[in-house]
Amino acid sequence: MSVSVIVTNPKNNKEKLINIPIAAEAFFQNYWLPLINQLELKWLKCFQSGLEISYDDKDNVIKELKRLKLYLLYQGLMNDNNTFMTERLDNLINKIEEIFDQRKDVTLYIG
């Protein structure tokens, strides 16, 4: 299994095909979750069990994604796992913002 983002209320074929990978379940549990718990990121913690986000939630989720990314960068240990995570975080932040810029009434499932 893996953790990813999909559109739960697609309006067209392009939205039906959206699937933004975050991490394999084991990688998420072993690398993402300990940091999420350490930083007390309540929105990101729900990624493992799954949650839906709307436009109103977007800023809170993006804020936590950026906080996790900054933590990884300032940690100064850019090993392969941290590099992978920061690349995924960059992609995730950009794609979520892009999706909500195109349509405010979209709902995303992250899990």
Side-chain angles (χ1 to χ4, degrees):
M1 292 188 65
S2 63
V3 180
S4 62
V5 179
I6 61 169
V7 175
T8 58
N9 61 341
K11 296 266 183 171
N12 55 50
N13 286 333
K14 181 181 176 185
E15 288 183 355
K16 286 179 186 177
L17 296 175
I18 292 174
N19 186 337
I20 306 162
I22 298 173
E25 183 71 29
F27 189 88
F28 188 84
Q29 189 167 348
N30 292 328
Y31 294 97
W32 288 65
L33 253 154
L35 296 175
I36 288 168
N37 289 330
Q38 179 181 341
L39 297 171
E40 299 178 357
L41 303 173
K42 68 175 188 149
W43 287 91
L44 273 55
K45 187 172 185 170
C46 296
F47 284 13
Q48 186 177 32
S49 58
L51 83 152
E52 285 190 343
I53 65 165
S54 66
Y55 181 80
D56 293 336
D57 306 319
K58 173 192 68 116
D59 290 339
N60 291 321
V61 173
I62 297 290
K63 184 177 179 180
E64 288 192 5
L65 291 168
K66 288 180 177 180
R67 186 165 170 220
L68 179 56
K69 179 186 168 192
L70 284 174
Y71 178 81
L72 289 168
L73 292 173
Y74 288 122
Q75 192 178 12
L77 299 172
M78 290 313 290
N79 59 36
D80 289 343
N81 291 332
N82 288 1
T83 300
F84 175 76
M85 287 176 66
T86 56
E87 289 170 357
R88 288 293 170 106
L89 285 162
D90 280 336
N91 184 54
L92 189 55
I93 292 164
N94 291 334
K95 294 292 185 184
I96 289 173
E97 289 177 336
E98 181 181 302
I99 291 167
F100 281 110
D101 284 346
Q102 292 176 11
R103 186 161 72 93
K104 305 282 188 254
D105 66 337
V106 69
T107 304
L108 301 179
Y109 177 81
I110 306 175

